[in-house]
Amino acid sequence: MTSDGYHIFTSSGQHLTALEGHRVSGLTPGADGTWLAIVDRRGVWQHAADGTWSTVATSDVDLSSLVSVAGVVFAGTYDARLLRLEGDRLRAVESFDRISNRDEWHQVGPALNVRSMTATCDERVLLANVHVGGIQRSTDLGETWEPTIEVDADVHEVRAHPTEPAVVMAAAAVGLCVSTDAGATWEVCTDGLPMTYARAIAFLDDDVLVSISDGPRAARAAVYRRPVAGGTLERIDEGLGDQLHGNVDTRCLATGKGRAALADEQGDVWVSDRGVEGWERLASGLPSVAGVAVT
């Protein structure tokens, strides 16, 4: 996903592009093998199994994130609101506006926004990461919400484990945040980190991967790994070294089928077909990468 289209790199080495001239962001899996994305900031589009794109709905405000859970699509916005897709319309989730700690949320850097969302693999819990406003939690598909982690933990991405419904983790300015009760409570883990600022997170087999740097205007970033079950964070150097420019941002670290991919702020894309080992640069200088996915 970039500011100029949706770039596809195949296993045979082809580089294909769709939606050229469009800004694509917020990519997330949809129903029945489809994908959903934010296109040109205010459109929700669907990528069908046959490779075609079509418009699902449009918004009158800029959209920041998407998630599909139990057949329901939610969209976060750049004024820190939440919308629900109903038919071909996006309607406000009013309960999100009444969250008890909303008056504590505050802008740092970009406009206050719902930066990332995730749902536990059993689809019982929906989590929305507000930047900067902590992680909000719903157990009834958005009908009611409760705040969880401290607002000033400065969370950048929250992600639920793909097969363990109790495990949720987040990348935050304070480090790796870990929950073993589906996001109800959190522990901050920094063991092994020389600095704590984290922007992206993904699960790979029995590990969690998290991107680390020295702050929002970092010159370089690194990726660290830790067993999901616990332990010390260790830097991944094989193939990557000190070659990641700027931060590896929210949604720019992805995994699937034993593979991993990431993109840095220079638009370089890196992949590994052997878990956390053997990273290779796949592409360079893509325009404003907003996220990567492994399918």
Side-chain angles (χ1 to χ4, degrees):
M1 301 176 288
T2 75
S3 59
D4 184 17
Y6 175 71
H7 295 255
I8 304 163
F9 298 91
T10 70
S11 58
S12 62
Q14 290 181 295
H15 178 186
L16 310 174
T17 306
L19 302 181
E20 291 179 89
H22 293 278
R23 182 184 184 88
V24 185
S25 61
L27 190 71
T28 193
D32 302 322
T34 64
W35 289 79
L36 298 167
I38 299 166
V39 177
D40 295 331
R41 295 186 172 89
R42 295 194 172 188
V44 176
W45 289 36
Q46 182 182 72
H47 180 254
D50 64 3
T52 58
W53 286 91
S54 59
T55 304
V56 175
T58 57
S59 167
D60 58 2
V61 295
D62 286 355
L63 303 176
S64 54
S65 57
L66 292 171
V67 71
S68 176
V69 51
V72 181
V73 176
F74 293 90
T77 76
Y78 270 101
D79 56 357
R81 309 288 171 175
L82 192 65
L83 309 177
R84 180 190 288 112
L85 182 63
E86 298 178 3
D88 60 354
R89 300 192 63 181
L90 290 165
R91 301 185 184 275
V93 178
E94 295 181 359
S95 59
F96 200 77
D97 297 337
R98 300 192 296 269
I99 294 174
S100 61
N101 71 341
R102 192 175 179 99
D103 60 352
E104 300 175 29
W105 303 357
H106 56 277
Q107 179 178 348
V108 175
L112 191 67
N113 68 93
V114 181
R115 186 168 181 137
S116 69
M117 292 186 284
T118 192
T120 54
C121 61
D122 59 4
E123 300 190 314
R124 293 183 177 180
V125 179
L126 173 62
L127 297 152
N129 151 221
V130 176
H131 188 256
V132 172
I135 298 172
Q136 314 305 321
R137 183 176 188 264
S138 175
T139 58
D140 52 14
L141 273 182
E143 294 300 315
T144 60
W145 295 86
E146 291 291 337
T148 61
I149 201 168
E150 292 182 7
V151 165
D152 287 327
D154 191 5
V155 176
H156 300 118
E157 184 170 19
V158 62
R159 193 180 291 263
H161 193 278
T163 61
E164 298 183 28
V167 176
V168 183
M169 298 193 188
V174 295
L176 171 66
C177 303
V178 177
S179 174
T180 55
D181 54 11
T185 61
W186 296 87
E187 175 186 359
V188 177
C189 302
T190 60
D191 289 350
L193 295 180
M195 54 198 77
T196 65
Y197 189 83
R199 288 282 275 267
I201 191 165
F203 294 100
L204 179 62
D205 299 327
D206 295 327
D207 285 338
V208 59
L209 311 183
V210 61
S211 68
I212 300 292
S213 75
D214 64 3
R217 287 171 287 280
R220 300 283 179 180
V223 177
Y224 282 72
R225 64 183 290 190
R226 195 203 80 162
V228 171
T232 300
L233 286 144
E234 299 177 350
R235 177 167 165 159
I236 300 170
D237 279 321
E238 186 175 348
L240 293 176
D242 292 318
Q243 301 182 81
L244 300 179
H245 297 269
N247 279 293
V248 176
D249 210 350
T250 308
R251 284 181 290 274
C252 287
L253 178 60
T255 59
K257 300 177 182 177
R259 305 172 65 209
L262 64 83
D264 64 19
E265 288 186 329
Q266 186 171 274
D268 291 353
V269 178
W270 297 78
V271 297
S272 172
D273 292 324
R274 295 183 287 121
V276 298
E277 301 176 351
W279 291 83
E280 297 180 353
R281 194 185 338 243
L282 183 66
S284 298
L286 294 181
S288 299
V289 178
V292 297
V294 177
T295 60

